[in-house]
Amino acid sequence: MGKLWGGRFTKEAAAFANEFGASLKFDQRLYEYDIQGSIVQAKALVQAGVFTPEEAAKVIAALEEIKGEIAAGKVELSVELEDIHTNIEALLTQKVGDLGKKLHTGRSRNDQVALDIRLFLKAEIQRIVGLITELQKVLLDVAEEHKDTLIPGYTHLQRAQPVLLAHHFLAYFHMLERDKGRFVDCAKRNDESPLGAGALAGSGFPVDRHFMAQKLGMTRPMANSMDAVSSRDNILEFLGASSILMSNLSRLCEELVIWHSTEFGFIEMDDAFATGSSIMPQKKNPDFAELIRGKTGRVYGNLVSLLTTMKGLPLAYNKDMQEDKEPLFDTVDTITGCLKVLAGMLATMEVKVEHIAQGVQKGFLTATDLADYLAKRGVPFRQAHEIVGRCVLFCLEKGRELSDLTLEELRALGAEVDSDIYPHLDPRQSLQNRSVYGGTAPQQVAAAIREARQLLKDQ
Ligand code: ARG
């Protein structure tokens, strides 16, 4: 099969230019969606009076065969034919002759490729949402296991207030829940069919676009043919949702890297999710967490790449848009890998509960509780803050902790306290003091885990 536009041309394109323009290398990944679209196209052509039902049946059977052959790696696709769409048409024509050449009646590769991507995205989003849910379940399991493990909570990466480790992981559960929401939302807008838009102005044959959308399992046909062939904001939205997802994953990974360090010593990665050094025998590196953090860059890059490609493109189709696929595919593969590896890493890591427990006694984690105690006794909070600040300074100078100050020392520093203050300086009590909805008190966290599990069940 020669070029699709042979008639208008007197010579072939330069071979290297041809190769430069070809997308087969990457768009062959769309083959099954291309065939799904072609099957519906064949059905629509019966209604349009182009195919008899028998002819359409023949074409459809051949397309199914081709799908099996490509899946089994039995056919050789040719770069000379530029892309997957032309390759499949050529294979079809080999099988059914002129009927294969008729299939493209009223259709353009412009509506064809736009459809393929939408079908691809639809399937991939569903799969990715499943992977996010798997990761959320792992987070809930770790949270369940550590609903009594107290850790220092940080702001500015400085010790702030005690929190439950479960509470910390639940934060990521909710970030992921919103990430999922963005993908689900993107899938809704993506679920419209461009088929029948033709090159740009609409098919010249009376195909029923509503029928085609329905046969494709999509909500409806896209309302405007020019928009249908030239919009890629469905991909941009996906890449945007993926970028935000990666920003969340990379924050978690950054924490895992820090926590795995000797200085923190909160966790130890399982050997299956760590690497050694080729020179320093003592090393156990959290490579995979680092790599997920690193891959965030390429996912952002893919978004910026396509945003830049699309910027300023006049309606309708422009060949620039062929550049949409590699960033899309790369992002799909990258986030898939990241979600799976992160789930494995979290499920197998060891939390060094004893070591963490020693650490929470230090670092004035309950200073706010002392201030709150004073405030509850009527000291204006600003003033209470000032008094506790003095106590902390005193401790720092003497190398002590708030809980080892005597009543006399505390009073001398201006803190009007009684002996009932001591329980308040215990980090566990600090948790109890934070029993608002969404707070870190153990009963709140237990309820939050139940609520989160229910949320997943209801989806
Ligand atoms: N390979 C092309 C792409 O991915 C298919 C559409 C080509 N259409 C065209 N008019 N050249 O965008």
Side-chain angles (χ1 to χ4, degrees):
M1 185 167 144
K3 285 273 182 229
L4 298 172
W5 47 82
R8 165 74 176 76
F9 287 72
T10 53
K11 60 178 177 187
E12 296 284 315
F16 70 90
N18 210 26
E19 214 178 307
F20 177 77
S23 52
L24 180 69
K25 189 166 62 178
F26 43 88
D27 70 12
Q28 51 185 286
R29 186 166 174 168
L30 295 170
Y31 79 90
E32 54 182 308
Y33 304 108
D34 200 69
I35 288 175
Q36 189 187 348
S38 287
I39 289 173
V40 172
Q41 164 77 358
K43 290 178 181 163
L45 287 183
V46 175
Q47 290 184 321
V50 175
F51 277 157
T52 65
E54 295 71 33
E55 286 172 332
K58 232 173 142 180
V59 166
I60 291 168
L63 284 167
E64 295 284 11
E65 262 176 47
I66 293 168
K67 184 160 82 178
E69 286 163 10
I70 298 179
K74 281 201 203 134
V75 285
E76 205 153 309
L77 301 169
S78 147
V79 188
E80 253 122 74
L81 296 180
E82 191 182 329
D83 56 27
I84 188 64
H85 324 293
T86 318
N87 268 278
I88 290 175
E89 190 179 321
L91 292 168
L92 180 66
T93 304
Q94 274 168 26
K95 285 188 192 287
V96 297
D98 279 353
L99 290 181
K101 296 185 185 168
K102 273 189 176 182
L103 179 65
H104 211 54
T105 310
R107 185 174 64 167
S108 158
R109 281 182 302 157
N110 300 350
D111 54 347
Q112 192 173 356
V113 73
L115 172 67
D116 292 3
I117 292 169
R118 282 178 186 269
L119 293 173
F120 169 83
L121 254 186
K122 182 173 177 168
E124 291 298 326
I125 288 176
Q126 202 186 0
R127 198 180 51 74
I128 286 161
V129 163
L131 287 178
I132 297 177
T133 304
E134 289 309 307
L135 178 56
Q136 285 179 302
K137 284 185 187 155
V138 172
L139 284 168
L140 289 183
D141 290 344
V142 182
E144 190 87 53
E145 203 182 318
H146 291 285
K147 40 178 207 262
D148 291 317
T149 307
L150 221 151
I151 61 164
Y154 295 83
T155 63
H156 312 266
L157 203 54
Q158 305 291 313
R159 288 171 167 240
Q161 293 174 342
V163 293
L164 287 175
L165 183 54
H167 196 55
H168 195 108
F169 283 124
L170 279 170
Y172 285 102
F173 172 92
H174 290 288
M175 294 185 214
L176 289 173
E177 188 57 30
R178 290 191 297 278
D179 282 320
K180 214 156 68 176
R182 277 182 279 273
F183 284 111
V184 169
D185 211 44
C186 166
K188 281 184 209 150
R189 274 182 288 279
N190 177 68
D191 199 30
E192 296 187 354
S193 162
L195 201 56
L200 74 163
S203 172
F205 292 77
V207 287
D208 180 347
R209 295 195 58 219
H210 291 275
F211 165 83
M212 290 196 285
Q214 192 212 337
K215 286 283 166 208
L216 288 163
M218 299 178 102
T219 326
R220 45 163 295 147
M222 288 183 79
N224 179 288
S225 63
M226 296 183 81
D227 176 41
V229 293
S230 68
S231 290
R232 296 292 183 270
D233 54 322
N234 54 328
I235 307 179
L236 290 175
E237 214 176 325
F238 175 81
L239 297 179
S242 301
S243 295
I244 300 175
L245 168 72
M246 287 305 295
S247 81
N248 288 330
L249 299 190
S250 95
R251 294 181 72 182
L252 176 49
C253 285
E254 166 73 1
E255 295 197 312
L256 296 178
V257 170
I258 295 175
W259 288 0
H260 180 84
S261 68
T262 308
E263 284 68 16
F264 267 74
F266 283 11
I267 55 165
E268 184 171 337
M269 297 292 182
D270 191 76
D271 283 359
F273 290 95
T275 57
S277 157
S278 56
I279 174 167
M280 297 167 282
Q282 84 283 13
K283 296 273 282 196
K284 182 168 179 184
N285 297 328
D287 268 34
F288 299 103
E290 296 166 57
L291 197 52
I292 294 171
R293 193 177 60 186
K295 283 184 185 293
T296 306
R298 70 195 280 164
V299 173
Y300 290 3
N302 288 337
L303 169 64
V304 174
S305 154
L306 187 60
L307 278 171
T308 312
T309 295
M310 293 307 293
K311 176 184 176 296
L313 285 188
L315 294 184
Y317 178 83
N318 301 274
K319 181 80 166 181
D320 314 45
M321 291 174 187
Q322 182 168 287
E323 289 292 306
D324 60 356
K325 286 167 208 64
E326 286 162 294
L328 169 62
F329 296 157
D330 184 68
T331 293
V332 164
D333 295 339
T334 303
I335 65 176
T336 298
C338 291
L339 288 166
K340 285 186 181 164
V341 170
L342 186 49
M345 207 154 61
L346 287 168
T348 55
M349 73 186 181
E350 182 204 340
V351 177
K352 296 172 149 178
V353 180
E354 307 266 287
H355 178 79
I356 298 174
Q358 287 162 13
V360 285
Q361 298 306 331
K362 293 189 211 114
F364 314 109
L365 286 170
T366 54
T368 313
D369 298 272
L370 176 53
D372 286 352
Y373 172 96
L374 296 174
K376 280 174 195 156
R377 296 187 143 204
V379 182
F381 187 78
R382 276 293 142 245
Q383 204 177 319
H385 185 287
E386 170 80 26
I387 294 166
V388 178
R390 276 205 299 273
C391 297
V392 169
L393 191 60
F394 178 80
C395 286
L396 284 170
E397 280 162 2
K398 308 270 181 235
R400 318 246 313 256
E401 289 293 325
L402 287 174
S403 54
D404 12 281
L405 296 183
T406 62
L407 277 184
E408 290 66 36
E409 284 169 324
L410 283 164
R411 287 184 185 142
L413 288 157
E416 279 312 312
V417 294
D418 290 315
S419 58
D420 66 344
I421 180 57
Y422 290 105
H424 290 267
L425 300 179
D426 173 8
R428 292 244 162 233
Q429 181 60 38
S430 170
L431 296 180
Q432 290 295 348
N433 292 345
R434 281 163 180 78
S435 192
V436 293
Y437 174 78
T440 196
Q443 63 275 21
Q444 293 292 345
V445 171
I449 295 174
R450 283 196 299 275
E451 197 183 305
R453 285 209 194 277
Q454 192 58 44
L455 191 74
L456 293 188
K457 235 185 239 158
D458 294 343
Q459 281 167 1

